[in-house]
Amino acid sequence: MSSRNPEYFVGKPVESMQHMLRVLAKGDNRLLPVVADGIFGHNTRAAVMAFQRSRRRPATGNMDLDTWELLVEAYDRERILQAEAEHLIPILNPRQTIRPGENNYHVYLVQVILRVLRCIYGGIPNLELTGMMDAPTVAALRRFQTFSGLEPTGILDKVTWRQLARHYTMAAGDGRMERPCK
């Protein structure tokens, strides 16, 4: 069982505390990383003291209830910050397609993705954000489908969505713009 799995720490309060302190130390250089070995030794006490100081509490090195609650709260928040961003998976029912002329909230996402890919790859027309599979969106989607080795139908299906998502992730990376898109 993985040490990141919460069930791993049941009945192991010191190891659990050490794990939380270690995760927090990744995001805060005022804190001391500690090995999650289950032993409340000198290094663990120093890590607890550093944590207490970072929270403007008396640095006793003791894991009292107040310190524990602050640690759990900080850990829960830090876990979110260190994790991948939440995946956005539009619901397309089995075999559902979005065809030319249709309105659908998912089309806004497609239009934004195509605009980003246009800035990075070129060759894709610029789009207005309409939420409609209008002629410019269909043309841009066909261009993308051709570029991706898909049949250029101009229809949004799960296969096309998957390619859009993959290309966006690869091309946009962490979202930093090398140069503004026009």
Side-chain angles (χ1 to χ4, degrees), residues 118-160:
R118 175 188 148 271
C119 294
I120 295 169
Y121 294 155
I124 297 173
N126 197 12
L127 298 174
E128 295 295 322
L129 302 180
T130 63
M132 181 176 191
M133 286 291 280
D134 53 19
T137 302
V138 171
L141 194 58
R142 281 188 176 129
R143 177 72 181 112
F144 172 78
Q145 287 169 325
T146 299
F147 175 74
S148 299
L150 301 174
E151 183 181 345
T153 61
I155 296 170
L156 178 63
D157 58 11
K158 284 186 176 182
V159 174
T160 301

Side-chain angles (χ1 to χ4, degrees), residues 79-138:
R79 226 173 28 153
I80 292 168
L81 295 174
Q82 289 185 24
E84 287 184 8
E86 193 67 32
H87 295 272
L88 178 64
I89 303 173
I91 296 172
L92 289 174
N93 292 316
R95 307 255 183 232
Q96 178 185 357
T97 59
I98 302 172
R99 299 179 170 280
E102 290 184 31
N103 289 312
N104 188 295
Y105 286 122
H106 298 330
V107 176
Y108 286 111
L109 295 171
V110 169
Q111 290 167 331
V112 168
I113 290 170
L114 288 168
R115 286 176 75 165
V116 169
L117 293 178
R118 175 188 148 271
C119 294
I120 295 169
Y121 294 155
I124 297 173
N126 197 12
L127 298 174
E128 295 295 322
L129 302 180
T130 63
M132 181 176 191
M133 286 291 280
D134 53 19
T137 302
V138 171

